[in-house]
Amino acid sequence: DRLRAFSLSSAFAGVAAQLLEVPGVRLYHDDILHKREGKARVPWHLDWGEAYGSYPFADSRSLNMWIPLEESVTFQNGSLYFATDVNEDNVRRALGDDADDEALHEFLTKRRLVSFDCKLGDVLFFSSGCWHCSGP
C-alpha cells in the first residue's frame, strides 16, 4: 500500500502533466525492476511502439518515470543511457524489423548518448519512445 501511494503521488502526476503540456495524466502501467548491482544489463529498447502494440487511448504521448532506490546510481551499477537523436523509424530503416540486441547495441552506441548519475531521491522522466538501456 505504501508503494502504491508513493507511485500515485499527485506531485509525480503534476510533473508529468507539465512535461506533456496537458491538464492531467493517468497511470497506465507500473513496473518494478530490481537489478542487482553488477548483474546483466538491460539491452536497448523502447517502452512503446509497434513492439508493444498500440495504446488503448487516442493520444499516444507517454512518459516513463524512473526512480533509483540506491544511494548512488551510475552507468557502472545500473543507471540509464539514452540515445538522443534516433527514433523507432530510424532504427527500422537502418536495421529492418528483426534487429537483434547486438545489432541494436552497435547502431545505437554510435549515436549521441546521454546518461545521468543519480542519487536516492532523484526522479527521471523520459519519453516512452526514447531508446534506452542500462549498464553495465
Side-chain angles (χ1 to χ4, degrees):
D1 288 336
R2 289 176 37 201
L3 186 56
R4 177 181 168 81
F6 178 76
S7 65
L8 294 175
S9 163
S10 62
F12 296 139
V15 171
Q18 285 180 341
L19 290 169
L20 291 171
E21 299 177 336
V22 296
V25 296
R26 65 177 151 172
L27 179 64
Y28 175 64
H29 175 77
D30 64 342
D31 194 13
I32 296 174
L33 172 65
H34 178 253
K35 185 178 155 203
R36 297 188 189 283
E37 184 174 340
K39 298 300 177 192
R41 71 181 184 89
V42 175
W44 287 99
H45 66 283
L46 298 172
D47 291 328
W48 74 280
E50 279 193 26
Y52 291 89
S54 59
Y55 285 118
F57 22 85
D59 190 337
S60 63
R61 291 179 294 168
S62 64
L63 292 176
N64 289 358
M65 180 176 77
W66 189 78
I67 304 171
L69 299 176
E70 299 288 331
E71 279 300 319
S72 176
V73 181
T74 65
F75 186 69
Q76 287 71 34
N77 70 356
S79 190
L80 301 178
Y81 253 54
F82 302 92
T84 63
D85 61 347
V86 64
N87 61 36
E88 187 176 16
D89 291 334
N90 300 130
V91 171
R92 186 172 296 123
R93 278 194 300 274
L95 302 177
D97 289 333
D98 298 320
D100 62 17
D101 289 342
E102 188 175 316
L104 272 172
H105 182 74
E106 184 176 327
F107 178 76
L108 291 169
T109 54
K110 292 178 181 174
R111 315 303 282 203
R112 182 172 170 262
L113 304 178
V114 175
S115 182
F116 301 94
D117 290 349
C118 299
K119 61 185 183 307
L120 193 62
D122 287 344
V123 178
L124 295 178
F125 286 88
F126 60 95
S127 168
S128 300
C130 180
W131 285 96
H132 59 285
C133 69
S134 70

